[in-house]
């Protein structure tokens, strides 16, 4: 879609340098979409780290909670999801660098990563007995 602004004055110092068309703005938006795809990865890594430390420190029946197979399985699932998210982020960056990334690629990547954090497969909070709402 085109946005037409007739008889609008924008001082030179307020103009974006190097932006002459919507296509130029689209390039800026593409980079921000990649950043949005990486945010849930960082959040997930932080949650994993917190859960892992908690499960190693907290003891039940004389053993750390991390010693129980059910909790180990949850941690492994978290790591698997984080690895999948990292690969999606990496691939988006490679597509962007080569000039082949489409808005569909960016949307799919950020949507997939956010779903991993919000969805039931991200079991970190449940591993430590908490239910968190990610939105």
């Amino acid at each position: 879609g085109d946005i037409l602004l007739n008889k609008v004055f924008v001082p030179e110092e307020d103009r974006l340098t190097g932006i002459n068309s919507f296509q130029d703005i689209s390039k800026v938006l593409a980079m921000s979409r990649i950043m949005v795809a990486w945010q849930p990865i960082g959040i997930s890594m932080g949650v994993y780290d917190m859960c892992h430390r908690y499960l190693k420190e907290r003891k039940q029946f004389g053993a750390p909670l991390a010693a129980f197979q059910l909790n180990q399985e949850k941690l492994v699932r978290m790591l698997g999801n984080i690895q999948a998210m990292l690969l999606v982020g990496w691939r988006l960056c490679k597509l962007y660098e080569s000039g082949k990334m489409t808005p569909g690629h960016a949307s799919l990547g950020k949507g997939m990563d956010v779903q991993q954090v919000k969805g039931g497969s991200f079991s970190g909070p449940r591993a430590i007995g908490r239910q968190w709402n990610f939105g």
Side-chain angles (χ1 to χ4, degrees), residues 48 70-83 116 120-123 126:
Y48 171 82
L70 181 61
N71 291 327
Q72 293 170 1
E73 185 268 335
K74 290 177 183 178
L75 289 174
V76 167
R77 186 177 307 175
M78 288 173 66
L79 276 179
N81 289 335
I82 291 169
Q83 282 298 312
Q116 288 293 90
S121 61
F122 195 76
S123 58
R126 285 184 297 282

Side-chain angles (χ1 to χ4, degrees), residues 2 20 25-26 36 43 60 107 115:
D2 292 333
N20 299 312
I25 291 173
S26 186
V36 170
I43 292 167
Q60 187 174 24
S107 295
Q115 276 308 116

Side-chain angles (χ1 to χ4, degrees), residues 5-106:
L5 301 173
N6 294 321
K7 298 180 184 179
V8 174
F9 174 74
V10 178
E12 192 62 39
E13 66 268 11
D14 293 338
R15 295 180 187 201
L16 297 173
T17 56
I19 303 292
N20 299 312
S21 67
F22 187 75
Q23 192 171 28
D24 295 335
I25 291 173
S26 186
K27 292 175 187 173
V28 174
L29 291 174
M31 181 51 81
S32 69
R33 289 183 180 116
I34 293 172
M35 298 297 286
V36 170
W38 279 96
Q39 287 174 341
I41 298 169
I43 292 167
S44 299
M45 292 172 81
V47 170
Y48 171 82
D49 183 55
M50 189 230 20
C51 291
H52 185 248
R53 280 186 282 124
Y54 177 85
L55 291 172
K56 283 181 14 182
E57 293 169 4
R58 178 80 190 266
K59 295 190 186 304
Q60 187 174 24
F61 307 116
L65 289 175
F68 297 99
Q69 196 170 21
L70 181 61
N71 291 327
Q72 293 170 1
E73 185 268 335
K74 290 177 183 178
L75 289 174
V76 167
R77 186 177 307 175
M78 288 173 66
L79 276 179
N81 289 335
I82 291 169
Q83 282 298 312
M85 293 164 64
L86 282 167
L87 287 171
V88 168
W90 174 82
R91 183 66 180 144
L92 279 178
C93 288
K94 290 298 179 186
L95 286 169
Y96 179 79
E97 288 172 355
S98 68
K100 296 178 183 175
M101 188 184 82
T102 66
H105 290 133

